[in-house]
Amino acid sequence: MRRLWGRLSSVNVQKAVWGLEELGLPYERVEAGGAFGRVRDPDYVALNPNSLVPVMEEDDFVLWESNAILRYLARGHGDGLLWPENPREAALVDQWLDWQATRFTPSTRDAFWQTVRTPPENRDQAVIDRSVAASEECAALLDAHLMGRAYLVGERFTAADIAVGAAAHRWLHLDVPRIERPTLRSWYERLAARPASSVALPPLS
């Protein structure tokens, strides 16, 4: 039995769902977080004391932190489908997972919250501008890295593309002025064409 707790509007839940779908693993997703609540309930806190989503239960094993879930799925299932056997390529996947968590997603967070989840009359344009500027730095780095590459690591799709692709989905759909970066856009469209991504990446909300 595999259960994933979390609402699909969360970029962190999206990563876990995308990994599960790519690997063809059966799972049940339970709505939690945001308007669905539950994350402060004692039974949920017993699973994740941070009161955040996602959480994955697999029989008697409980795991939280989205990139930890993604790593576990990619390393343990699919016979290397999402995780390279080459140790240096595997380290590069780890590098991009960490970059997504520490740089790319944090840079977009304020612009996302201000433009998607804050009423127009309450938005702070200065906060949006700072977030967009930080996001553009990340987008430029990503665009430069992808030149001449189909995917982030090696010659094939990996867990790195899932994590960074989910963050790129958010960035590229924000209603903000944005520098068009054709290489980044082409990579994202390649990911968006994958059937698993259509399950994992709904419109922003």
Side-chain angles (χ1 to χ4, degrees):
M1 185 276 293
R2 187 179 293 108
R3 177 181 294 120
L4 184 72
W5 295 81
R7 68 195 190 283
L8 204 51
S9 58
S10 161
V11 68
N12 291 322
V13 175
Q14 290 166 10
K15 290 184 284 182
V17 168
W18 194 347
L20 287 162
E21 291 287 335
E22 289 283 353
L23 293 165
L25 298 175
Y27 67 99
E28 171 196 12
R29 187 172 63 81
V30 181
E31 301 285 14
F36 297 99
R38 307 187 79 155
V39 295
R40 299 287 180 183
D41 295 349
D43 59 340
Y44 190 90
V45 174
L47 297 174
N48 184 354
N50 300 291
S51 296
L52 297 171
V53 294
V55 171
M56 189 181 74
E57 294 180 272
E58 193 178 73
D59 299 322
D60 59 351
F61 177 60
V62 177
L63 186 63
W64 39 265
E65 289 297 327
S66 59
N67 282 355
I69 294 170
L70 186 55
R71 285 183 173 100
Y72 170 75
L73 294 171
R75 287 170 173 162
H77 302 82
D79 295 324
L81 181 66
L82 298 179
W83 201 267
E85 293 183 6
N86 180 293
R88 290 186 176 181
E89 289 189 353
L92 290 172
V93 173
D94 270 325
Q95 168 189 279
W96 286 106
L97 290 175
D98 289 350
W99 180 81
Q100 173 270 313
T102 62
R103 289 281 289 127
F104 196 12
T105 293
S107 74
T108 65
R109 183 173 293 122
D110 285 344
F112 170 77
W113 274 91
Q114 289 284 320
T115 62
V116 176
R117 295 184 178 170
T118 301
E121 64 274 15
N122 294 334
R123 292 173 187 168
D124 187 328
Q125 190 60 48
V127 170
I128 295 171
D129 291 345
R130 285 194 296 270
S131 180
V132 168
S135 300
E136 287 286 15
E137 291 181 3
C138 291
L141 183 156
L142 186 56
D143 188 68
H145 174 76
L146 286 165
M147 287 183 182
R149 293 181 171 91
Y151 300 104
L152 284 171
V153 176
E155 298 301 320
R156 63 187 179 89
F157 179 87
T158 68
D161 297 287
I162 291 177
V164 181
H169 173 76
R170 175 172 282 191
W171 166 240
L172 292 172
H173 287 87
L174 290 177
D175 185 17
V176 296
R178 187 172 34 248
I179 297 170
E180 187 56 38
R181 303 182 192 277
T183 303
L184 171 56
R185 178 71 65 174
S186 294
W187 166 78
Y188 169 75
E189 290 175 354
R190 195 155 43 250
L191 303 189
R194 301 179 71 87
S197 74
S198 66
V199 177
L201 303 178
L204 301 189
S205 64

